[in-house]
Amino acid sequence: SRVVVAMEDPDARMRGEGLKQLSAQGIEVGTGVGAHQAAELNAAYIHQRMTGSAYLRLKLALTLDGRLAAPDRSARWITGPEARARVHEARASADAVMVGAGTVAADDPRLTARSNSFHRRPARVIVDSSGSTPPAARVFDPGAEVVVATTARCSHERQTAWKEKGAEVLVLAESPGGVDLGELLQSLSERGWLEVFCEGGARLATSLLAGGHVDRLELHYGPVLAGRGGPDLGDLGVSTLGDAPRWEVAAMERAGDDVLLSLVPDRGSR
């Protein structure tokens, strides 16, 4: 006789229609109970339906003094096993895991997900505007869908080599930072993907932040000091502190000896 709904489905094809059908049958409908929690739980779905773009979570592992790596570019391991286990949970909950060519060159990751809570094999997305990623990289190992986003600067021979490894190659428009990331996120959304979990590195993270593409920023601080570091975030287009985009703290927790900070854009400051 009564249905309680946290929030309306934002999909334009259904927005409010289900509630109208219930009301038409004489059923009492209440909305708004737990709306904030529902929005948090369904953030990726809501974002994708409202914007047509996949929801982008950017994770960065940082030293206490904000460095992404040591002077010799080593970054394994800034954070401990508990924080790394959280990363695997995040990978498994996403539709795709995304990295830049620099991360592939430095770490040769497989981008697999080991999780006790989720049983999914997220796709792997490599952003490589010039074609520097070798086809022998472990990210092309079988087991998950692989998408390489590149530009016309990448040679036909390298694109063919990626395809022979089973990858799909997207040749996208070029932006000042490399691949047009807005076009990439729209393309991934058209596959039905809701959430992309990005693990950098520095150049890709800079481009995503500078372009305003990050919907959730996750900073994992390890209990180490690096002093003068290796590659860090580049130019974000901020000339004075008053112009810097602000972020709101969505969650803060401890994982072992690390501190995990999750932030969302402060839309009011933008």
Side-chain angles (χ1 to χ4, degrees):
S1 62
R2 182 168 182 257
V3 173
V4 179
V5 180
M7 60 182 295
E8 289 186 359
D9 186 342
D11 192 312
R13 297 168 297 179
M14 184 51 71
R15 190 176 301 164
E17 289 301 315
L19 304 183
K20 291 178 183 177
Q21 291 181 27
L22 291 171
S23 296
Q25 297 299 318
I27 297 174
E28 180 186 352
V29 178
T31 61
V33 178
H36 176 74
Q37 293 94 325
E40 283 286 314
L41 286 169
N42 296 284
Y45 171 79
I46 295 168
H47 175 84
Q48 194 262 3
R49 289 298 191 267
M50 297 293 288
T51 68
S53 178
Y55 186 85
L56 194 286
R57 291 170 65 189
L58 173 63
K59 169 258 174 183
L60 298 173
L62 301 167
T63 64
L64 291 176
D65 47 350
R67 300 298 187 183
L68 292 170
D72 65 354
R73 295 177 174 258
S74 62
R76 290 189 174 187
W77 295 100
I78 290 176
T79 54
E82 294 88 351
R84 295 200 295 274
R86 299 292 183 89
V87 171
H88 280 277
E89 294 280 336
R91 287 180 182 178
S93 68
D95 295 290
V97 181
M98 183 165 73
V99 296
T103 296
V104 176
D107 300 335
D108 194 19
R110 285 193 175 94
L111 300 182
T112 53
R114 298 185 297 275
S115 168
N116 294 324
S117 302
F118 300 92
H119 302 282
R120 302 174 64 190
R121 291 182 177 178
R124 307 161 189 167
V125 179
I126 309 160
V127 182
D128 184 347
S129 60
S130 61
S132 62
T133 301
R138 296 194 300 176
V139 74
F140 294 105
D141 288 353
E145 181 179 357
V146 180
V147 177
V148 184
T150 189
T151 69
R153 289 195 289 121
C154 177
S155 70
H156 176 73
E157 290 75 17
R158 181 48 59 93
Q159 293 181 40
T160 299
W162 288 335
K163 292 176 182 178
E164 290 176 348
K165 293 290 290 187
E168 179 183 354
V169 178
L170 297 179
V171 181
L172 304 174
E174 190 167 359
S175 70
V179 173
D180 186 319
L181 297 172
E183 183 180 353
L184 171 59
L185 290 172
Q186 286 184 351
S187 175
L188 300 181
S189 175
E190 290 169 0
R191 301 161 183 263
W193 294 356
L194 301 181
E195 182 176 318
V196 176
F197 182 66
C198 180
E199 298 186 52
R203 182 180 176 186
L204 179 56
T206 298
S207 296
L208 287 167
L209 288 165
H213 300 299
V214 178
D215 301 299
R216 192 176 186 96
L217 178 60
E218 300 187 351
L219 305 179
H220 294 194
Y221 286 97
V224 292
L225 293 167
R228 182 175 61 86
D232 289 311
L233 291 177
D235 183 12
L236 298 179
V238 176
S239 57
T240 180
L241 194 59
D243 296 334
R246 295 282 177 174
W247 296 79
E248 297 177 358
V249 176
M252 182 168 57
E253 58 183 309
R254 179 172 174 174
D257 291 328
D258 306 317
V259 175
L260 280 50
L261 192 63
S262 294
L263 306 106
V264 294
D266 180 348
R267 301 300 181 185
S269 73
R270 302 189 177 197

